[in-house]
Amino acid sequence: MKAKHQRLVLIVLALIALIGAGLLASYALRNQASYFYLPEQMAENPPEPGQAVRLGGMVEPGSLEKLPDGITVTFAVTGRENSRIPVRFAGILPDLFVEGSGVVAEGRLDAGGTFVADNLLAKHDENYVPRELEGMSEHQAAEMAEETTVGLE
């Protein structure tokens, strides 16, 4: 076999290996994809019950309710339009989770239309200030950040 043919065979084998690796990776990740829905999108075109998705919106004021078991909470997530998705979550709420704030819930929709969250991510606005820096002037906050930061220049 000539050297030219050997190189061609190696290139073809490398391409087959690359395509096979890509197919294996996409097969392994097919159930790991988690789509993001806004409440109006979920109300209009709901995902299949049991499909892992993310729901993002605002926690409706007055909708947060703690159930008698003491660990499960229910609330509603609203969007820009008049859409409202009821959510149930069992676990410890994030520190920044309050009514009227932003939230991203990871979980799945049940057959009854309630979003069952496995994880909650509380969002804060752009004016967020950590509790340790509340009441400090900008100069004091910068000094404290400089004193407590290691390795950054």
Side-chain angles (χ1 to χ4, degrees):
M1 187 181 289
K2 293 181 181 178
K4 183 178 178 182
H5 290 117
Q6 288 177 342
R7 276 184 269 152
L8 185 61
V9 168
L10 285 175
I11 290 172
V12 169
L13 288 176
L15 284 175
I16 290 172
L18 275 173
I19 292 170
L23 289 174
L24 285 174
S26 64
Y27 179 77
L29 295 174
R30 74 182 190 288
N31 289 334
Q32 301 299 320
S34 179
Y35 296 103
F36 183 84
Y37 283 83
L38 295 172
E40 49 269 12
Q41 293 170 329
M42 188 169 282
E44 186 176 302
N45 188 15
E48 295 290 323
Q51 180 185 357
V53 295
R54 291 181 178 172
L55 171 66
M58 303 298 286
V59 179
E60 184 179 43
S63 67
L64 184 61
E65 181 181 341
K66 190 176 249 184
L67 297 184
D69 66 358
I71 195 165
T72 305
V73 294
T74 61
F75 57 94
V77 174
T78 60
R80 292 186 179 149
E81 299 172 7
N82 288 336
S83 55
R84 182 179 190 274
I85 303 294
V87 178
R88 185 176 64 237
F89 174 70
I92 299 171
L93 293 173
D95 289 340
L96 298 175
F97 183 84
V98 292
E99 293 179 338
S101 69
V103 67
V104 175
E106 298 174 340
R108 53 200 44 81
L109 203 60
D110 70 4
T114 299
F115 190 83
V116 180
D118 300 324
N119 190 22
L120 290 181
L121 304 170
K123 295 168 62 178
H124 58 77
D125 63 5
E126 66 275 1
N127 298 323
Y128 173 73
V129 176
R131 289 183 190 151
E132 296 81 15
L133 301 180
E134 284 181 352
M136 291 185 175
S137 69
E138 189 173 318
H139 179 70
Q140 290 172 323
E143 284 181 357
M144 182 175 182
E146 186 176 310
E147 292 171 4
T148 58
T149 305
V150 177
L152 296 177
E153 295 180 21

